[in-house]
């Protein structure tokens, strides 16, 4: 099912695709695609999870120039340089997309679990949203976060922001369960970087599980993890 597009702070977001729950509506999870994909591309993999109690919202990122692709214009949540532990993060756009994620959650029932998830750059945006909730920078608690082959933007400042932003960061961090999956053969985002980000989240008080896996194992890991959470 498709719904309309949105516009936040000048960013033109594309089509939003939705997989409605067919069972009890226990959770709504926003799934963020990778660079050069669309929300539509996420539908088949999510249907294959066969989790009837989850509603999936799959937005499409704005079209923009991406530095790491030589300035090519494509769908991307923010600009990125070469992915590395010392990369520059496009925090201005990351924060704009956070506003859009909050907007997408705004019409969801208050009594359902909220989650953010994604792959590649979408995983980075999802993890960033979750860290920003702990800092008190976004209002929606993502009780579930899933990142595949991603990283945490601003990971080096995580400990500082946990200690010197708003009161209650530790309690908010503890309220978000995180699953990070990373393939061993990813030549864009090194698995060692994914592990360092997961370790920084764990050390900061976020309940974080990191696993190395690929292919069909990813689908199974996500299904089992969400099922064990009662979804």
């Amino acid at each position: 099912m498709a719904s309309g597009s949105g516009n936040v702070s000048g960013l033109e977001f594309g089509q939003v695709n939705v997989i409605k729950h067919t069972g009890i509506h226990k959770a709504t999870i926003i799934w963020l695609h990778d660079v050069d994909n669309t929300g539509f591309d996420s539908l088949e993999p999510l249907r294959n999870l066969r989790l009837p109690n989850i509603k999936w919202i799959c937005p499409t990122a704005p079209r923009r120039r991406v530095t790491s692709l030589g300035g090519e214009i494509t769908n991307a949540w923010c600009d990125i340089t070469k992915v590395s532990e010392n990369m520059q993060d496009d925090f201005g756009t990351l924060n704009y997309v956070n506003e859009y994620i909050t907007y997408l959650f705004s019409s969801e029932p208050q009594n359902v679990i909220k989650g953010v998830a994604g792959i590649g750059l979408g995983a980075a945006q999802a993890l960033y949203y979750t860290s920003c909730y702990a800092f008190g920078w976004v209002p929606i608690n993502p009780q579930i976060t899933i990142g595949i082959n991603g990283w945490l933007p601003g990971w080096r400042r995580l400990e500082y922001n946990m200690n010197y932003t708003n009161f209650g960061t530790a309690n908010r961090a503890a309220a978000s369960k995180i699953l990070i999956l990373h393939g061993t053969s990813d030549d864009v985002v090194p698995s060692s970087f994914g592990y360092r980000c997961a370790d920084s989240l764990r050390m900061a008080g976020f309940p974080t599980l990191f696993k190395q896996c690929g292919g069909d194992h990813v689908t199974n890991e996500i299904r089992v993890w969400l099922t064990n959470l009662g979804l």
Side-chain angles (χ1 to χ4, degrees):
M1 174 181 174
S3 58
S5 62
N7 182 352
V8 176
S9 300
L11 292 178
E12 293 288 342
F13 294 89
Q15 195 73 26
V16 179
N17 296 269
V18 177
I19 301 175
K20 288 190 173 181
H21 56 285
T22 57
I24 299 171
H25 189 188
K26 294 184 178 181
T28 294
I29 301 178
I30 295 175
W31 187 277
L32 305 173
H33 61 77
D34 201 358
V35 175
D36 202 31
N37 291 135
T38 68
F40 181 81
D41 297 324
S42 305
L43 297 180
E44 183 177 356
L46 294 176
R47 289 193 179 105
N48 289 339
L49 288 173
R50 301 190 302 276
L51 294 170
N53 299 325
I54 299 176
K55 174 182 177 181
W56 301 94
I57 299 177
C58 306
T60 299
R63 292 187 62 78
R64 57 165 302 139
R65 294 188 184 279
V66 178
T67 300
S68 64
L69 299 179
E72 177 185 341
I73 296 176
T74 188
N75 296 330
W77 301 108
C78 63
D79 190 22
I80 51 172
T81 56
K82 179 178 174 59
V83 177
S84 71
E85 295 183 11
N86 299 310
M87 67 187 293
Q88 293 182 336
D89 295 302
D90 180 11
F91 289 115
T93 310
L94 286 163
N95 289 328
Y96 288 149
V97 177
N98 275 357
E99 292 180 36
Y100 185 57
I101 293 171
T102 299
Y103 162 76
L104 292 174
F105 277 134
S106 64
S107 58
E108 294 303 301
Q110 292 187 355
N111 64 329
V112 303
I113 292 171
K114 311 296 192 305
V116 287
I119 183 169
L121 183 57
Q125 182 74 56
L127 291 168
Y128 181 69
Y129 188 91
T130 298
S131 69
C132 287
Y133 172 72
F135 306 153
W137 297 350
V138 297
I140 303 296
N141 174 13
Q143 296 164 270
I144 292 170
T145 305
I146 302 170
I148 303 171
N149 293 349
W151 67 96
L152 172 63
W155 71 279
R156 288 186 178 277
R157 291 183 60 82
L158 180 62
E159 183 178 0
Y160 175 87
N161 286 332
M162 288 293 294
N163 292 328
Y164 297 104
T165 52
N166 294 312
F167 179 77
T169 53
N171 289 337
R172 287 190 293 271
S176 300
K177 294 180 175 63
I178 301 174
L179 173 66
I180 297 179
L181 303 174
H182 213 106
T184 56
S185 59
D186 190 329
D187 58 357
V188 177
V189 185
S191 61
S192 59
F193 184 26
Y195 177 79
R196 290 203 69 173
C197 292
D199 194 49
S200 67
L201 285 162
R202 194 162 42 236
M203 294 292 290
F206 294 83
T208 304
L209 176 63
F210 178 88
K211 286 193 173 185
Q212 287 190 320
C213 63
D216 294 338
H217 295 292
V218 171
T219 298
N220 186 60
E221 290 288 353
I222 293 174
R223 182 190 298 119
V224 169
W225 189 71
L226 290 172
T227 299
N228 287 341
L229 292 178
L231 302 178

